[in-house]
Amino acid sequence: MFGSTLSGFFERSVSWRWAVGVWLALGLAMGASADSDCIPPVSYHVLPTALAGADDNGDAALGSYERISPDGRFVLRSFSGARFGQVSLIELPEREGQPLRAYRTPLSNEAFPVQGSWRYLVDVNGEHYRFTDVLRQQQRARPLFQGGMTGFYAAASELDADGAAPVPQGGAAAQSFYIRSLSWPQGDAEMQGTGPLQIRTVRVSDDGQRARIVEDTGPQFICTERNQRDGNVYGLPMISIDGREFSAMPQSPREGRPSMRVYGLSAAAMAPHHACDLRADLGFSPGKAVFGFPSPAEPADLTYTDNASIYFFDRRLGRSFLIDEYRRDLLASAFPGLTRDGRIVAAATWKRCGADGVCTPEAGYIVADPYQSQAWLAYWRERGRAPPRGCITRASVAQERARFAAFHHLAE
């Protein structure tokens, strides 16, 4: 499906950066100008083996099942290796070449954040830890409450997190907010990761010192209306950042063949029913599809990996674009994430090649701007139109880091 996007690659590889400059200079693509300070198309953050330990190949241990904070500053990663235990937090710097930091956690493999705010980190048994407690206290952090969906492959989002206020420090009048989690019953070893889907929504009251659940829908099986079309067994589900959609792949659909799809969930926080209306179909079977942040007028885009390559799926166009960095043999090692400003962050391995042609293998994290990818630029050039967005700027990255830091009372 990417033939038209990738054809003529060598011809375009010389001119794609020129095209970016022309479009920016014309002031197109969301008002960008010639002096826009674009981030690099792809930046590389090396994870030293001295910090993370080495895997069986001698590369830095990257782990797997990695989740990215809204500002791209933190990575919650499972299977971290002997040096960091099961789950660690990796702090990425703002620019390439600056050092990474790592933090231990008390969490178990497949732990996940409450997306949107990252207010809490959730263990597979449903224990919710305050993110800042884990960051500051590391393995000494203690859970605040227990609830929501549990088990491997669970995921959660804070509803309406965009307008949420941070919990005051030191205790104050309690705030309440809703967390919606998605999972599915655990089967045997062969069926783990597939099954009928369940949703659970809880309302949490938090005064900055203590937090508790004050309302709970309990587990709800969903999508029963779709059984005649999709069957009742799904794989690779992921809830959206706003908790109002999810992606999943029906394993034995009655109509068509298995493909990654996007379904809708009720916008009502404590809804007793979710119809799972079909909203998008990628048309094939990649890895887990992860949501970006929606805008008031546009649905959230997606990112995923397929054969260790990273792709960006534009919901308006219904089309995928390769994050293309061929010269370094980039191979993603876990599913990627999208930040609030649109960057794609993923763990990967690559080769750094010098002018002498000698290449050195490296491992760590890449940060990509999908709007500067060759595939994205080629798509718009072939249509004789300027792309609707030029690039992600350093100013927008700094703004998101400041937003996240202020919400969690962190030093930037």
Side-chain angles (χ1 to χ4, degrees), residues 41-372:
V42 181
S43 59
Y44 300 83
H45 300 283
V46 177
L47 184 63
T49 54
L51 180 65
D55 61 17
D56 293 340
N57 297 319
D59 299 323
L62 290 176
S64 60
Y65 194 79
E66 298 181 314
R67 309 299 298 278
I68 311 302
S69 66
D71 64 339
R73 179 175 171 182
F74 294 96
V75 180
L76 180 69
R77 68 174 197 164
S78 291
F79 303 98
S80 285
R83 182 158 299 187
F84 286 116
Q86 293 188 38
V87 180
S88 62
L89 274 169
I90 303 295
E91 184 176 358
L92 302 181
E94 191 167 0
R95 302 203 181 196
E96 185 175 329
Q98 298 172 331
L100 285 69
R101 297 178 181 175
Y103 307 86
R104 296 175 179 269
T105 81
L107 304 170
S108 305
N109 282 329
E110 302 278 345
F112 52 95
V114 175
Q115 297 183 119
S117 67
W118 267 51
R119 197 186 298 271
Y120 304 116
L121 303 180
V122 190
D123 212 338
V124 291
N125 63 359
E127 290 181 335
H128 286 61
Y129 294 74
R130 202 180 303 282
F131 166 71
T132 49
D133 288 349
V134 174
L135 189 64
R136 292 164 179 157
Q137 300 172 27
Q138 299 190 57
Q139 291 172 305
R140 299 188 307 276
R142 294 293 178 263
L144 298 170
F145 62 92
Q146 188 171 17
M149 298 305 302
T150 61
F152 273 34
Y153 309 107
S157 296
E158 183 174 327
L159 300 181
D160 300 317
D162 244 3
V167 172
Q169 293 183 303
Q175 298 178 10
S176 67
F177 32 83
Y178 295 93
I179 296 172
R180 178 173 287 167
S181 51
L182 168 70
S183 187
W184 65 105
Q186 300 300 298
D188 56 26
E190 291 185 0
M191 288 299 293
Q192 220 175 38
T194 61
L197 298 171
Q198 287 184 298
I199 285 286
R200 188 170 191 169
T201 306
V202 298
R203 184 164 68 92
V204 177
S205 176
D206 193 333
D207 67 3
Q209 293 182 335
R210 293 170 296 277
R212 61 191 179 93
I213 294 175
V214 295
E215 195 173 1
D216 189 345
T217 63
Q220 302 169 298
F221 282 102
I222 61 172
C223 306
T224 55
E225 293 96 332
R226 301 203 62 86
N227 287 356
Q228 295 303 313
R229 287 167 287 184
D230 291 348
N232 69 341
V233 179
Y234 295 81
L236 302 177
M238 173 57 67
I239 195 168
S240 67
I241 285 172
D242 62 1
R244 296 183 178 181
E245 294 183 313
F246 70 93
S247 59
M249 185 162 55
Q251 299 298 287
S252 301
R254 310 288 196 266
E255 300 175 359
R257 60 183 181 179
S259 60
M260 184 60 69
R261 305 174 188 185
V262 176
Y263 302 92
L265 297 170
S266 175
M270 307 302 288
H273 178 74
H274 298 273
C276 303
D277 54 302
L278 181 64
R279 298 186 178 177
D281 189 339
L282 274 63
F284 65 107
S285 305
K288 184 173 290 191
V290 182
F291 289 83
F293 284 76
S295 70
E298 301 290 349
D301 295 321
L302 301 163
T303 185
Y304 62 87
T305 59
D306 189 36
N307 293 324
S309 293
I310 302 170
Y311 293 88
F312 167 72
F313 183 79
D314 188 298
R315 291 278 294 279
R316 292 165 296 180
L317 300 175
R319 187 182 181 94
S320 294
F321 297 92
L322 176 66
I323 302 303
D324 35 24
E325 189 68 13
Y326 299 107
R327 67 181 183 275
R328 299 194 184 190
D329 297 330
L330 179 67
L331 296 173
S333 69
F335 64 83
L338 273 163
T339 64
R340 190 189 301 270
D341 53 46
R343 287 167 291 149
I344 294 176
V345 181
T349 59
W350 61 86
K351 292 180 180 178
R352 187 179 298 275
C353 302
D356 57 1
V358 176
C359 296
T360 304
E362 293 179 337
Y365 298 91
I366 66 105
V367 180
D369 181 351
Y371 307 108
Q372 295 186 65

